[in-house]
Amino acid sequence: MMHASRSPHSAEDWRENAYDLARGLAAYSGSRLAEGIARVIARHPDAKIANAFNHKQVGCKIWARDKLFDSVGASCRRVVVLGGWYGILPAMLLEDPRFDIEAADSYDIDPAVAPVASTLNAAFGDRFHAVTADMHALDYRSLNADLVINTSCEHIADLGNWLGLIPTGTRVLLQSNNYFSEPTHISCVPSLDEFRARAGLARVDFAGALPMNNYTRFMLIGTV
Ligand SMILES: C[S@@+](CC[C@H](N)C(=O)[O-])C[C@H]1O[C@@H](n2cnc3c(N)ncnc32)[C@H](O)[C@@H]1O
């Protein structure tokens, strides 16, 4: 239960409304992710959860989930997500009954996001962990992942260099975009062909582009 001052139009007033709305959506849909969003609104007032869960972000992740199922089926047991932010994609995968995922963990370099991701995914118990780490400093062999996901490729300087750390034969799902005007996007790509060339995957099961209002999202599913 949130306790807020009742001054009209205050940020606290807005947050109280957002919390009630998210709880209503959770009750209506039965979604543990929606339940998690409500908990994040209550406990992490500084988290930019509305940005992370806006309709474009959700659209890109529904696209990822559907194309993953089309390409791979239900076969992935252990999933790791790099640059995982608030852990929304792991939650979307863990609550999708088409998949049979044992664990979906999220790694992010920003220490502020792990507590939020843990709150968001609390309903999944031990099937989710949020870890603060630089994706370039991980021992990928010891992670023993069936699937490595990075939907933040626009945030990493050298995609080929990072993919070189992942054991040969590992299945990957990668997203980037051509949203060059966002200052934190240090590594956008102008086209799907360029993304494919930079990734240099050994096998590509899916390559596609999803036009959004002011940018296009690109996705590759395949094997390193
Ligand atoms: C804005 S968010 C995610 C955007 C992306 N389109 C998405 O929703 O999947 C990008 C995340 O990548 C993380 N990140 C950037 N560089 C990283 C690195 N070297 N290792 C791990 N996480 C990193 C940032 O901290 C941030 O949380």
Side-chain angles (χ1 to χ4, degrees):
M1 180 69 188
M2 288 176 60
H3 300 286
S5 71
R6 300 277 167 192
S7 61
H9 312 305
S10 70
E12 202 52 30
D13 192 44
W14 178 91
R15 204 159 68 89
E16 185 92 14
N17 287 338
Y19 174 70
D20 284 343
L21 181 61
R23 288 189 85 198
L25 288 170
Y28 182 68
S29 63
S31 163
R32 286 178 284 174
L33 168 53
E35 230 178 84
I37 300 273
R39 274 195 305 273
V40 168
I41 293 168
R43 294 185 201 163
H44 304 278
D46 295 331
K48 301 206 168 11
I49 194 67
N51 179 14
F53 202 66
N54 72 33
H55 70 282
K56 284 179 282 188
Q57 292 283 2
V58 172
C60 294
K61 290 176 179 63
I62 289 174
W63 184 48
R65 198 171 64 165
D66 288 346
K67 294 301 174 193
L68 178 67
F69 186 73
D70 293 348
S71 313
V72 176
S75 65
C76 299
R77 296 284 181 272
R78 298 196 59 80
V79 178
V80 297
V81 181
L82 291 315
W85 206 6
Y86 296 140
I88 286 169
L89 185 53
M92 288 177 62
L93 292 170
L94 287 169
E95 82 170 353
D96 187 328
R98 291 175 297 176
F99 295 97
D100 191 13
I101 295 172
E102 274 169 19
D105 296 333
S106 182
Y107 293 78
D108 199 289
I109 198 168
D110 179 355
V113 302
V116 181
S118 297
T119 296
L120 189 109
N121 283 279
F124 301 108
D126 257 2
R127 297 172 71 206
F128 176 83
H129 294 96
V131 181
T132 301
D134 183 341
M135 68 176 88
H136 300 96
L138 293 169
D139 173 6
Y140 286 89
R141 207 165 283 284
S142 73
L143 293 184
N144 207 14
D146 297 310
L147 172 68
V148 171
I149 297 181
N150 187 343
T151 60
S152 301
C153 293
E154 68 276 14
H155 291 267
I156 60 169
D158 186 336
L159 181 60
N161 178 46
W162 171 67
L163 284 168
L165 302 172
I166 299 170
T168 304
T170 305
R171 198 181 288 282
V172 293
L173 182 156
L174 309 170
Q175 284 191 357
S176 189
N177 61 53
N178 62 357
Y179 200 173
F180 287 92
S181 60
E182 164 58 48
T184 60
H185 291 174
I186 57 171
S187 196
C188 285
V189 283
S191 65
L192 181 61
D193 282 348
E194 175 66 19
F195 189 34
R196 208 174 160 138
R198 284 195 202 178
L201 297 180
R203 200 184 77 209
V204 175
D205 297 312
F206 173 85
L210 183 68
M212 312 302 286
N213 273 351
N214 39 6
Y215 65 92
T216 299
R217 176 84 50 167
F218 306 114
M219 180 161 66
L220 300 170
I221 299 173
T223 307
V224 290

Short mmCIF file of all heavy atoms in Angstrom, two decimals, residues 7-53:
data_model
loop_
_atom_site.label_atom_id
_atom_site.label_comp_id
_atom_site.label_asym_id
_atom_site.label_seq_id
_atom_site.Cartn_x
_atom_site.Cartn_y
_atom_site.Cartn_z
N SER A 7 -1.91 16.21 -2.57
CA SER A 7 -1.94 17.48 -3.29
C SER A 7 -2.22 17.21 -4.78
O SER A 7 -1.63 16.31 -5.37
CB SER A 7 -0.60 18.21 -3.14
OG SER A 7 0.41 17.41 -3.69
N PRO A 8 -3.18 17.93 -5.36
CA PRO A 8 -3.58 17.65 -6.72
C PRO A 8 -2.42 17.84 -7.70
O PRO A 8 -1.61 18.73 -7.54
CB PRO A 8 -4.70 18.66 -7.00
CG PRO A 8 -4.60 19.69 -5.93
CD PRO A 8 -3.87 19.08 -4.79
N HIS A 9 -2.33 16.97 -8.66
CA HIS A 9 -1.37 17.06 -9.77
C HIS A 9 0.08 16.89 -9.33
O HIS A 9 0.97 17.17 -10.11
CB HIS A 9 -1.52 18.38 -10.53
CG HIS A 9 -2.94 18.71 -10.88
ND1 HIS A 9 -3.74 17.83 -11.59
CD2 HIS A 9 -3.70 19.79 -10.60
CE1 HIS A 9 -4.94 18.36 -11.73
NE2 HIS A 9 -4.94 19.55 -11.14
N SER A 10 0.35 16.51 -8.08
CA SER A 10 1.75 16.31 -7.69
C SER A 10 2.26 15.01 -8.29
O SER A 10 1.49 14.14 -8.67
CB SER A 10 1.87 16.27 -6.17
OG SER A 10 1.29 15.06 -5.72
N ALA A 11 3.60 14.90 -8.31
CA ALA A 11 4.20 13.66 -8.83
C ALA A 11 3.74 12.48 -7.99
O ALA A 11 3.50 11.38 -8.49
CB ALA A 11 5.72 13.78 -8.80
N GLU A 12 3.61 12.69 -6.67
CA GLU A 12 3.21 11.62 -5.77
C GLU A 12 1.78 11.17 -6.07
O GLU A 12 1.47 9.98 -6.06
CB GLU A 12 3.33 12.13 -4.33
CG GLU A 12 3.47 11.06 -3.28
CD GLU A 12 4.57 10.05 -3.57
OE1 GLU A 12 5.58 10.40 -4.21
OE2 GLU A 12 4.39 8.89 -3.18
N ASP A 13 0.92 12.16 -6.38
CA ASP A 13 -0.45 11.88 -6.75
C ASP A 13 -0.49 11.03 -8.03
O ASP A 13 -1.20 10.03 -8.13
CB ASP A 13 -1.13 13.24 -7.01
CG ASP A 13 -2.63 13.11 -7.12
OD1 ASP A 13 -3.21 12.40 -6.30
OD2 ASP A 13 -3.20 13.72 -8.05
N TRP A 14 0.37 11.38 -9.00
CA TRP A 14 0.44 10.64 -10.25
C TRP A 14 0.90 9.21 -9.99
O TRP A 14 0.38 8.25 -10.53
CB TRP A 14 1.42 11.35 -11.21
CG TRP A 14 1.57 10.60 -12.50
CD1 TRP A 14 0.84 10.76 -13.63
CD2 TRP A 14 2.47 9.51 -12.75
NE1 TRP A 14 1.23 9.85 -14.58
CE2 TRP A 14 2.23 9.07 -14.07
CE3 TRP A 14 3.46 8.86 -12.00
CZ2 TRP A 14 2.94 8.02 -14.64
CZ3 TRP A 14 4.16 7.80 -12.58
CH2 TRP A 14 3.90 7.40 -13.89
N ARG A 15 1.88 9.08 -9.10
CA ARG A 15 2.44 7.76 -8.81
C ARG A 15 1.38 6.87 -8.15
O ARG A 15 1.28 5.68 -8.45
CB ARG A 15 3.66 7.93 -7.90
CG ARG A 15 4.65 6.79 -7.98
CD ARG A 15 6.01 7.23 -7.50
NE ARG A 15 6.01 7.51 -6.08
CZ ARG A 15 6.25 6.59 -5.14
NH1 ARG A 15 6.51 5.34 -5.48
NH2 ARG A 15 6.24 6.91 -3.88
N GLU A 16 0.60 7.48 -7.25
CA GLU A 16 -0.48 6.73 -6.59
C GLU A 16 -1.47 6.20 -7.64
O GLU A 16 -1.89 5.04 -7.60
CB GLU A 16 -1.20 7.64 -5.59
CG GLU A 16 -2.26 6.95 -4.77
CD GLU A 16 -1.73 6.41 -3.44
OE1 GLU A 16 -0.62 6.79 -3.03
OE2 GLU A 16 -2.44 5.61 -2.84
N ASN A 17 -1.80 7.06 -8.60
CA ASN A 17 -2.73 6.64 -9.66
C ASN A 17 -2.12 5.55 -10.52
O ASN A 17 -2.79 4.58 -10.89
CB ASN A 17 -3.10 7.84 -10.55
CG ASN A 17 -4.03 8.79 -9.84
OD1 ASN A 17 -4.72 8.41 -8.91
ND2 ASN A 17 -4.04 10.04 -10.26
N ALA A 18 -0.84 5.71 -10.85
CA ALA A 18 -0.16 4.71 -11.69
C ALA A 18 -0.12 3.36 -10.97
O ALA A 18 -0.32 2.31 -11.58
CB ALA A 18 1.25 5.18 -12.03
N TYR A 19 0.12 3.41 -9.67
CA TYR A 19 0.17 2.18 -8.86
C TYR A 19 -1.20 1.48 -8.88
O TYR A 19 -1.29 0.27 -9.13
CB TYR A 19 0.58 2.57 -7.44
CG TYR A 19 0.53 1.44 -6.43
CD1 TYR A 19 1.45 0.41 -6.50
CD2 TYR A 19 -0.40 1.44 -5.40
CE1 TYR A 19 1.43 -0.62 -5.57
CE2 TYR A 19 -0.43 0.41 -4.47
CZ TYR A 19 0.50 -0.61 -4.55
OH TYR A 19 0.47 -1.62 -3.64
N ASP A 20 -2.26 2.26 -8.64
CA ASP A 20 -3.61 1.68 -8.66
C ASP A 20 -3.93 1.07 -10.02
O ASP A 20 -4.49 -0.02 -10.12
CB ASP A 20 -4.65 2.75 -8.31
CG ASP A 20 -4.65 3.07 -6.82
OD1 ASP A 20 -4.11 2.25 -6.05
OD2 ASP A 20 -5.19 4.13 -6.44
N LEU A 21 -3.56 1.81 -11.07
CA LEU A 21 -3.84 1.36 -12.43
C LEU A 21 -3.08 0.06 -12.73
O LEU A 21 -3.65 -0.90 -13.27
CB LEU A 21 -3.43 2.45 -13.42
CG LEU A 21 -3.67 2.17 -14.89
CD1 LEU A 21 -5.15 1.95 -15.17
CD2 LEU A 21 -3.15 3.32 -15.74
N ALA A 22 -1.79 0.02 -12.37
CA ALA A 22 -0.99 -1.18 -12.63
C ALA A 22 -1.55 -2.38 -11.85
O ALA A 22 -1.60 -3.50 -12.37
CB ALA A 22 0.48 -0.94 -12.27
N ARG A 23 -1.99 -2.15 -10.63
CA ARG A 23 -2.57 -3.26 -9.85
C ARG A 23 -3.87 -3.74 -10.49
O ARG A 23 -4.17 -4.93 -10.52
CB ARG A 23 -2.85 -2.81 -8.42
CG ARG A 23 -1.57 -2.66 -7.62
CD ARG A 23 -1.86 -2.44 -6.17
NE ARG A 23 -2.06 -3.68 -5.46
CZ ARG A 23 -2.67 -3.77 -4.27
NH1 ARG A 23 -3.14 -2.68 -3.67
NH2 ARG A 23 -2.79 -4.92 -3.69
N GLY A 24 -4.64 -2.78 -11.02
CA GLY A 24 -5.88 -3.15 -11.71
C GLY A 24 -5.58 -3.97 -12.96
O GLY A 24 -6.24 -4.99 -13.22
N LEU A 25 -4.57 -3.53 -13.73
CA LEU A 25 -4.20 -4.28 -14.94
C LEU A 25 -3.70 -5.67 -14.58
O LEU A 25 -3.97 -6.64 -15.29
CB LEU A 25 -3.13 -3.52 -15.72
CG LEU A 25 -3.64 -2.26 -16.44
CD1 LEU A 25 -2.46 -1.43 -16.97
CD2 LEU A 25 -4.58 -2.63 -17.58
N ALA A 26 -2.98 -5.77 -13.44
CA ALA A 26 -2.49 -7.07 -13.00
C ALA A 26 -3.65 -7.98 -12.62
O ALA A 26 -3.69 -9.16 -12.99
CB ALA A 26 -1.52 -6.90 -11.83
N ALA A 27 -4.62 -7.43 -11.90
CA ALA A 27 -5.78 -8.23 -11.48
C ALA A 27 -6.58 -8.67 -12.71
O ALA A 27 -7.02 -9.82 -12.81
CB ALA A 27 -6.66 -7.43 -10.53
N TYR A 28 -6.74 -7.77 -13.65
CA TYR A 28 -7.54 -8.05 -14.85
C TYR A 28 -6.87 -9.09 -15.74
O TYR A 28 -7.52 -10.00 -16.26
CB TYR A 28 -7.77 -6.75 -15.62
CG TYR A 28 -8.63 -6.93 -16.84
CD1 TYR A 28 -9.99 -7.26 -16.72
CD2 TYR A 28 -8.10 -6.77 -18.12
CE1 TYR A 28 -10.78 -7.43 -17.84
CE2 TYR A 28 -8.88 -6.93 -19.23
CZ TYR A 28 -10.23 -7.27 -19.10
OH TYR A 28 -11.01 -7.44 -20.20
N SER A 29 -5.55 -8.95 -15.92
CA SER A 29 -4.84 -9.80 -16.89
C SER A 29 -4.26 -11.05 -16.24
O SER A 29 -3.90 -11.99 -16.94
CB SER A 29 -3.71 -9.00 -17.53
OG SER A 29 -2.76 -8.62 -16.53
N GLY A 30 -4.11 -11.04 -14.93
CA GLY A 30 -3.45 -12.16 -14.25
C GLY A 30 -1.95 -12.18 -14.51
O GLY A 30 -1.29 -13.18 -14.27
N SER A 31 -1.40 -11.06 -14.99
CA SER A 31 0.02 -11.02 -15.36
C SER A 31 0.90 -10.75 -14.14
O SER A 31 0.73 -9.73 -13.44
CB SER A 31 0.25 -9.94 -16.41
OG SER A 31 1.62 -9.62 -16.47
N ARG A 32 1.89 -11.63 -13.93
CA ARG A 32 2.84 -11.41 -12.83
C ARG A 32 3.78 -10.26 -13.16
O ARG A 32 4.28 -9.58 -12.28
CB ARG A 32 3.62 -12.70 -12.55
CG ARG A 32 2.73 -13.72 -11.83
CD ARG A 32 3.45 -15.02 -11.59
NE ARG A 32 3.55 -15.79 -12.82
CZ ARG A 32 4.23 -16.92 -12.94
NH1 ARG A 32 4.89 -17.41 -11.89
NH2 ARG A 32 4.28 -17.57 -14.07
N LEU A 33 3.98 -10.03 -14.45
CA LEU A 33 4.79 -8.87 -14.85
C LEU A 33 4.06 -7.57 -14.49
O LEU A 33 4.66 -6.64 -13.93
CB LEU A 33 5.08 -8.94 -16.36
CG LEU A 33 5.65 -7.70 -17.04
CD1 LEU A 33 6.90 -7.18 -16.34
CD2 LEU A 33 5.97 -8.02 -18.50
N ALA A 34 2.76 -7.49 -14.76
CA ALA A 34 2.00 -6.29 -14.41
C ALA A 34 2.00 -6.08 -12.90
O ALA A 34 2.13 -4.95 -12.40
CB ALA A 34 0.57 -6.40 -14.95
N GLU A 35 1.88 -7.18 -12.15
CA GLU A 35 2.00 -7.12 -10.68
C GLU A 35 3.36 -6.52 -10.29
O GLU A 35 3.45 -5.69 -9.38
CB GLU A 35 2.01 -8.57 -10.20
CG GLU A 35 1.10 -8.99 -9.11
CD GLU A 35 1.33 -10.50 -8.91
OE1 GLU A 35 2.26 -10.90 -8.19
OE2 GLU A 35 0.57 -11.27 -9.54
N GLY A 36 4.41 -6.96 -11.00
CA GLY A 36 5.77 -6.47 -10.73
C GLY A 36 5.90 -4.99 -11.03
O GLY A 36 6.57 -4.26 -10.30
N ILE A 37 5.27 -4.53 -12.09
CA ILE A 37 5.31 -3.10 -12.44
C ILE A 37 4.68 -2.29 -11.29
O ILE A 37 5.22 -1.26 -10.88
CB ILE A 37 4.52 -2.83 -13.75
CG1 ILE A 37 5.12 -3.61 -14.92
CG2 ILE A 37 4.43 -1.33 -14.04
CD1 ILE A 37 6.23 -2.97 -15.67
N ALA A 38 3.58 -2.78 -10.76
CA ALA A 38 2.94 -2.07 -9.63
C ALA A 38 3.89 -2.00 -8.44
O ALA A 38 4.04 -0.94 -7.81
CB ALA A 38 1.64 -2.78 -9.24
N ARG A 39 4.56 -3.12 -8.14
CA ARG A 39 5.52 -3.13 -7.02
C ARG A 39 6.66 -2.15 -7.25
O ARG A 39 7.11 -1.47 -6.34
CB ARG A 39 6.09 -4.54 -6.82
CG ARG A 39 5.26 -5.44 -5.94
CD ARG A 39 6.08 -6.67 -5.52
NE ARG A 39 6.62 -7.38 -6.67
CZ ARG A 39 5.96 -8.32 -7.33
NH1 ARG A 39 4.77 -8.70 -6.95
NH2 ARG A 39 6.52 -8.91 -8.38
N VAL A 40 7.14 -2.08 -8.51
CA VAL A 40 8.23 -1.14 -8.82
C VAL A 40 7.76 0.30 -8.61
O VAL A 40 8.49 1.13 -8.04
CB VAL A 40 8.74 -1.36 -10.27
CG1 VAL A 40 9.65 -0.21 -10.71
CG2 VAL A 40 9.47 -2.69 -10.37
N ILE A 41 6.56 0.62 -9.04
CA ILE A 41 6.03 1.99 -8.87
C ILE A 41 6.00 2.34 -7.38
O ILE A 41 6.37 3.44 -6.97
CB ILE A 41 4.64 2.12 -9.51
CG1 ILE A 41 4.74 2.00 -11.03
CG2 ILE A 41 3.98 3.45 -9.12
CD1 ILE A 41 3.40 1.84 -11.74
N ALA A 42 5.60 1.36 -6.55
CA ALA A 42 5.50 1.63 -5.11
C ALA A 42 6.87 1.76 -4.44
O ALA A 42 7.06 2.63 -3.60
CB ALA A 42 4.71 0.50 -4.44
N ARG A 43 7.82 0.91 -4.86
CA ARG A 43 9.08 0.82 -4.08
C ARG A 43 10.26 1.56 -4.69
O ARG A 43 11.26 1.78 -4.01
CB ARG A 43 9.49 -0.65 -3.94
CG ARG A 43 8.50 -1.41 -3.10
CD ARG A 43 8.98 -2.83 -2.87
NE ARG A 43 7.86 -3.67 -2.51
CZ ARG A 43 7.86 -4.98 -2.56
NH1 ARG A 43 8.95 -5.62 -2.96
NH2 ARG A 43 6.80 -5.67 -2.22
N HIS A 44 10.20 1.88 -5.97
CA HIS A 44 11.36 2.50 -6.64
C HIS A 44 10.91 3.76 -7.38
O HIS A 44 10.82 3.76 -8.62
CB HIS A 44 12.01 1.51 -7.61
CG HIS A 44 12.42 0.21 -6.98
ND1 HIS A 44 13.61 0.06 -6.29
CD2 HIS A 44 11.78 -0.98 -6.91
CE1 HIS A 44 13.69 -1.19 -5.84
NE2 HIS A 44 12.59 -1.84 -6.20
N PRO A 45 10.62 4.83 -6.62
CA PRO A 45 10.07 6.02 -7.26
C PRO A 45 10.99 6.64 -8.31
O PRO A 45 10.50 7.34 -9.21
CB PRO A 45 9.86 6.99 -6.09
CG PRO A 45 10.64 6.43 -4.95
CD PRO A 45 10.75 4.96 -5.17
N ASP A 46 12.30 6.36 -8.23
CA ASP A 46 13.21 6.97 -9.20
C ASP A 46 13.40 6.14 -10.47
O ASP A 46 14.02 6.59 -11.44
CB ASP A 46 14.60 7.22 -8.58
CG ASP A 46 14.50 8.25 -7.46
OD1 ASP A 46 13.60 9.12 -7.55
OD2 ASP A 46 15.30 8.16 -6.50
N ALA A 47 12.89 4.91 -10.47
CA ALA A 47 13.06 4.06 -11.65
C ALA A 47 12.23 4.62 -12.82
O ALA A 47 11.09 5.02 -12.62
CB ALA A 47 12.62 2.64 -11.33
N LYS A 48 12.83 4.58 -14.00
CA LYS A 48 12.12 5.10 -15.19
C LYS A 48 11.32 3.95 -15.82
O LYS A 48 11.54 3.56 -16.97
CB LYS A 48 13.12 5.68 -16.17
CG LYS A 48 13.96 6.81 -15.57
CD LYS A 48 14.46 7.78 -16.59
CE LYS A 48 15.03 9.05 -15.99
NZ LYS A 48 15.25 9.10 -14.56
N ILE A 49 10.39 3.43 -15.02
CA ILE A 49 9.68 2.22 -15.46
C ILE A 49 8.71 2.52 -16.60
O ILE A 49 8.49 1.67 -17.47
CB ILE A 49 8.98 1.53 -14.24
CG1 ILE A 49 8.53 0.11 -14.60
CG2 ILE A 49 7.83 2.35 -13.70
CD1 ILE A 49 9.65 -0.86 -14.86
N ALA A 50 8.14 3.74 -16.63
CA ALA A 50 7.21 4.09 -17.72
C ALA A 50 7.96 4.16 -19.05
O ALA A 50 7.40 3.82 -20.10
CB ALA A 50 6.52 5.41 -17.42
N ASN A 51 9.22 4.55 -19.01
CA ASN A 51 10.04 4.58 -20.21
C ASN A 51 10.36 3.14 -20.65
O ASN A 51 10.22 2.77 -21.82
CB ASN A 51 11.31 5.39 -19.90
CG ASN A 51 12.25 5.47 -21.07
OD1 ASN A 51 11.88 5.15 -22.20
ND2 ASN A 51 13.46 5.88 -20.81
N ALA A 52 10.76 2.32 -19.70
CA ALA A 52 11.15 0.94 -20.02
C ALA A 52 9.96 0.09 -20.46
O ALA A 52 10.15 -0.89 -21.19
CB ALA A 52 11.81 0.30 -18.80
N PHE A 53 8.77 0.47 -20.01
CA PHE A 53 7.58 -0.34 -20.34
C PHE A 53 6.62 0.43 -21.24
O PHE A 53 5.43 0.21 -21.21
CB PHE A 53 6.89 -0.79 -19.05
CG PHE A 53 6.02 -2.01 -19.24
CD1 PHE A 53 6.57 -3.24 -19.57
CD2 PHE A 53 4.65 -1.94 -19.09
CE1 PHE A 53 5.77 -4.36 -19.75
CE2 PHE A 53 3.83 -3.06 -19.26
CZ PHE A 53 4.40 -4.27 -19.61
#
